[in-house]
Amino acid sequence: MADNGAYTGDMRVATWNVNSIKARLPTVLDVLKEIDCDVICLQEIKCETDAFPYLEIEDLGYNCAVHGQKSYNGVALLSRHPLEDIRKGLPGDDGDDQARYIEALVLAETPVRVGGIYLPNGNPAPGDKFDYKISWMNRLEAHARELLALEEPFALAGDYNTIPRDVDCWDIAVWRDDALALPETRQAFQRLKWLGLTEAFEAADGRAHEYSFWDYQAGAWQKGHGIRIDHLLLSPQAADRLESVEIFKKARGLDKPSDHVPVIAVLGDA
DNA sequence: ATGACTGGCCGTGCCAGA
């Protein structure tokens, strides 16, 4: 796709867990058109790299970088600008066969590095899956530290499977002992912020009881029983440009929806 | 109402998700 070198203005960066891109392609295409973003990180595409619907998404004007896997997980990065320095998997992922991280340098007028994240769920906790979640978060922290040393604008956007605060879910009594809210999970998330990263929604909005996920079960959407687990963490150079965050809640009310909705950070001029 | 789902897969139930 051609990069319009004359373009200046806001840069819209989104994250969205689509819960299978094949089962939902028409919906995904409609939502992508409506949210009008420059960069979109997709999670749970649930297809192998070669099976990604490149043509349909390129038709919307996006370049695609895809790190796929059969049946489970899988992440993709869509960009209206050229992509460079594509990385698939976190450093230290040797022997980890789960496709949960993709990163690229987005060649906007001011280049921005973007990492797309599908952090492990971690249930049941305690157990092997929870240990994997925490070790994955530790590897992410180590990589974030390396990126921060570059002193460049970057965003780590994705499904963090982390409820940061009690008010980021509909009833903390229900979620307190879940892998998404356990102290060890929150502390690992907090360590990312202590490195110097800014959680975009918290910084730009911060309201309680704003959600990005509603379970398919038990009428959770109709009852407003949601949780906020999809986040964008910004480097200082990106956080300085943060203007607003939008949660595209409308996507949850569509036919055949994903259980997550897009979360969008708007960055102003560099 | 102690109820209520969805996607992928060589599958007619099970695993995984959150």
Side-chain angles (χ1 to χ4, degrees):
Chain A
M1 298 305 116
D3 179 20
N4 181 354
Y7 175 83
T8 58
D10 292 343
M11 180 169 186
R12 295 167 60 81
V13 182
T15 176
W16 188 21
N17 180 322
V18 293
N19 186 20
S20 171
I21 194 143
K22 282 192 256 180
R24 223 174 304 293
L25 187 57
T27 303
V28 169
L29 296 175
D30 286 346
V31 168
L32 289 183
K33 282 181 218 163
E34 194 161 353
I35 64 178
D36 187 31
C37 287
D38 300 281
V39 183
I40 303 123
C41 301
L42 300 179
Q43 301 89 37
E44 280 207 275
I45 58 173
K46 291 186 176 178
C47 66
E48 293 179 289
T49 301
D50 292 343
F52 190 81
Y54 293 97
L55 295 180
E56 292 87 342
I57 290 180
E58 285 169 359
D59 276 348
L60 298 183
Y62 289 105
N63 300 296
C64 304
V66 180
H67 183 29
Q69 177 184 340
K70 186 183 171 91
S71 305
Y72 304 113
N73 311 314
V75 287
L77 217 158
L78 318 181
S79 170
R80 284 184 174 151
H81 302 283
L83 295 172
E84 201 174 81
D85 270 358
I86 295 169
R87 159 180 273 285
K88 300 180 181 182
L90 279 173
D93 264 359
D94 302 341
D96 184 346
D97 56 0
Q98 300 191 27
R100 295 180 175 275
Y101 186 79
I102 189 164
E103 176 188 301
L105 183 62
V106 175
L107 295 177
E109 192 175 1
T110 301
V112 178
R113 200 173 299 272
V114 177
I117 285 161
Y118 178 45
L119 213 144
N121 173 302
N123 281 303
D128 291 347
K129 292 190 173 182
F130 190 67
D131 293 343
Y132 173 65
K133 176 177 196 160
I134 298 301
S135 72
W136 203 96
M137 294 181 90
N138 289 336
R139 276 183 290 173
L140 179 61
E141 182 189 350
H143 186 52
R145 190 178 283 111
E146 290 175 355
L147 293 178
L148 279 162
L150 301 174
E151 301 189 338
E152 292 170 353
F154 71 84
L156 297 175
D159 177 355
Y160 278 77
N161 271 314
T162 299
I163 299 170
R165 312 170 299 181
D166 287 357
V167 293
D168 294 318
C169 67
W170 60 279
D171 183 357
I172 190 58
V174 171
W175 288 95
R176 195 181 302 281
D177 297 323
D178 191 279
L180 279 60
L182 282 173
E184 209 175 341
T185 300
R186 284 185 173 175
Q187 285 158 13
F189 188 73
Q190 189 66 37
R191 281 199 297 277
L192 291 168
K193 297 203 289 179
W194 284 334
L195 289 178
L197 300 179
T198 296
E199 201 254 276
F201 177 86
E202 183 183 43
D205 185 314
R207 280 174 296 162
H209 303 294
E210 294 293 316
Y211 309 131
S212 64
F213 168 93
W214 295 260
D215 202 286
Y216 290 123
Q217 299 189 62
W221 165 246
Q222 289 76 8
K223 293 177 182 172
H225 289 179
I227 57 181
R228 191 171 68 87
I229 56 177
D230 300 276
H231 310 298
L232 297 101
L233 295 187
L234 307 179
S235 76
Q237 296 78 6
D240 280 350
R241 294 172 55 186
L242 179 63
E243 290 188 342
S244 60
V245 171
E246 176 189 346
I247 300 180
F248 194 71
K249 195 173 172 179
K250 176 183 169 187
R252 189 61 178 82
L254 303 174
D255 285 339
K256 294 267 291 174
S258 170
D259 38 10
H260 297 249
V261 299
V263 180
I264 303 157
V266 183
L267 307 183
D269 288 336

